[in-house]
């Protein structure tokens, strides 16, 4: 089966995620904290997905309930997994792909540079390939794919460093960035056992639920509070929050789960290398930031590496 459409959707998903850094920066400039932004966008996504899951059987029941009973059972809304082990796995997905990932990434920016954070966090495809290959032989790279991943990583580094090849080491900040990287690796690892048993809609909804639940203790242990209603409902703020919640969270996590089930976790995660490209292009369009020759060189390397990764080859 041709996988081209899944690669396109994975690219578009990561491209949208790349723009979220700009939207988040605009919200921070308006007085919101990263923790507030994360919580609100995940709450919006969870409410929207739950409403859709509850209403979908109502609109489809006449067509499917009697004619296609098997399909009807699959689309019925459910709150819990089939077993407590799967439920624990879903909680792990919410932590790894939600609260832990965003909290460690945001905290890393406090103690180390954005360059260090971007380099470490965006290296997750390499670690994903290594870790998943240890547990799932089918996910192991062939030589060509491994070479392509290295080329894409080098291109990503060229884009992020932007000609300034001096890294400022910060043990605490760099460790937090690495924790964020590994939490996404854990998210990919935990996704494997449940992809075949549950729909992308159900998995994504559980990720948002447990992401919100596990971020709540942070607000209890810190003086941080939710933003005022007057701030949240300002036209420019509410539009950004709706985009982050409905598109960057709800839609993109759905498409990412779908692509992972079709392409495999390692191949799909390689598209993360595109993230800095879309961030810089969007920052150039919205924030008037410069595009340098290093960006063009790195972009060419990233695309070349991803082309090598997408080609089938014998081991």
């Amino acid at each position: 089966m041709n996988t081209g459409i899944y690669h396109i959707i994975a690219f578009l998903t990561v491209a949208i995620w790349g723009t979220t850094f700009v939207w988040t920066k605009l919200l921070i400039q308006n007085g919101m904290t990263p923790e507030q932004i994360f919580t609100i966008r995940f709450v919006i996504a969870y409410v929207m997905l739950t409403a859709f899951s509850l209403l979908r059987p109502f609109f489809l029941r006449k067509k499917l309930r009697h004619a296609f009973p098997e399909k009807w059972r699959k689309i019925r809304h459910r709150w819990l997994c089939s077993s407590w082990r799967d439920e624990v796995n879903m909680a792990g997905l919410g932590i790894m792909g939600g609260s832990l990932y965003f909290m460690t990434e945001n905290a890393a920016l406090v103690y180390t540079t954005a360059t260090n954070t971007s380099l470490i966090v965006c290296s997750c495809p390499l670690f994903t390939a290594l870790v998943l290959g240890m547990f799932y032989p089918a996910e192991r790279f062939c030589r060509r794919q491994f070479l392509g991943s290295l080329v894409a990583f080098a291109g990503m580094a060229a884009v992020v460093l932007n000609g300034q090849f001096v890294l400022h080491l910060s043990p605490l900040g760099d460790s937090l960035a690495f924790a964020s990287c590994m939490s996404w690796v854990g998210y990919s690892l935990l996704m494997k056992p449940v992809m075949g048993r549950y729909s992308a809609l159900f998995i994504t909804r559980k990720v948002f639920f447990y992401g919100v639940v596990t971020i709540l203790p942070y607000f209890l242990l810190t003086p941080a509070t939710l933003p005022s209603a007057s701030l949240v409902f300002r036209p420019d703020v509410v539009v950004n929050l709706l985009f982050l919640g409905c598109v960057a969270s709800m839609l993109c996590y759905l498409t990412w789960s779908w692509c992972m089930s079709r392409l495999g976790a390692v191949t799909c995660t390689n598209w993360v290398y595109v993230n800095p490209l879309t961030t810089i292009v969007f920052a150039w369009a919205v924030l008037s930031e410069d595009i340098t020759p290093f960006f063009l060189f790195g972009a060419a390397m990233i695309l070349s590496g991803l082309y090598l990764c997408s080609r089938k080859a014998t081991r």
Side-chain angles (χ1 to χ4, degrees), residues 36-249:
Q36 292 170 347
I37 297 168
F38 161 76
T39 304
I40 292 175
R41 65 183 279 189
F42 263 46
V43 167
I44 292 173
Y46 178 73
V47 170
M48 294 290 290
L49 278 181
T50 301
F52 175 76
S53 181
L54 288 168
L55 293 175
R56 187 173 61 154
F58 175 78
F59 290 107
L60 296 178
R61 63 183 179 181
K62 291 183 179 180
K63 295 182 179 180
L64 296 180
R65 188 167 189 174
H66 300 293
F68 305 100
E70 290 298 325
K71 290 185 178 180
W72 166 254
R73 280 193 286 270
K74 289 182 179 180
I75 69 167
R76 286 185 303 176
H77 179 81
R78 59 189 303 179
W79 294 103
L80 299 174
C81 297
S82 302
S83 68
W84 67 266
R85 288 185 178 87
D86 287 347
E87 195 68 32
V88 171
N89 197 102
M90 294 293 183
L93 285 171
I95 295 171
M96 294 294 185
S99 55
L100 180 61
Y101 174 78
F102 284 98
M103 287 298 296
T104 51
E105 184 181 68
N106 292 337
L109 291 170
V110 176
Y111 298 103
T112 190
T113 64
T115 299
N116 286 32
T117 303
S118 298
L119 273 176
I120 296 171
V121 172
C122 288
S123 66
C124 67
L126 285 176
F127 290 102
T128 299
L130 178 63
V131 173
L132 264 70
M134 295 170 59
F135 292 92
Y136 301 96
E139 291 283 0
R140 291 174 183 168
F141 270 166
C142 66
R143 293 178 181 177
R144 180 178 295 164
Q145 290 173 317
F146 182 73
L147 175 62
S149 184
L150 290 179
V151 171
F153 176 78
M156 182 273 298
V159 170
V160 173
L161 291 172
N162 196 27
Q164 299 177 4
F165 299 101
V166 178
L167 294 177
H168 301 280
L169 298 181
S170 170
L172 178 57
D174 294 343
S175 297
L176 287 167
F178 184 72
S180 180
C181 169
M182 294 308 295
S183 70
W184 193 258
V185 174
Y187 177 80
S188 302
L189 184 63
L190 291 173
M191 184 69 76
K192 287 286 293 182
V194 298
M195 284 193 300
R197 297 201 294 270
Y198 301 96
S199 67
L201 173 63
F202 180 78
I203 294 172
T204 306
R205 184 162 51 85
K206 300 297 280 188
V207 168
F208 292 139
F209 173 76
Y210 284 112
V212 172
V213 168
T214 53
I215 197 67
L216 293 180
Y218 172 83
F219 291 98
L220 298 176
L221 298 174
T222 65
T225 58
L226 292 177
S228 64
S230 59
L231 173 59
V232 172
F233 289 103
R234 278 174 44 187
D236 54 337
V237 172
V238 73
V239 168
N240 282 0
L241 288 173
L242 287 174
F243 174 82
L244 291 174
C246 297
V247 180
S249 293

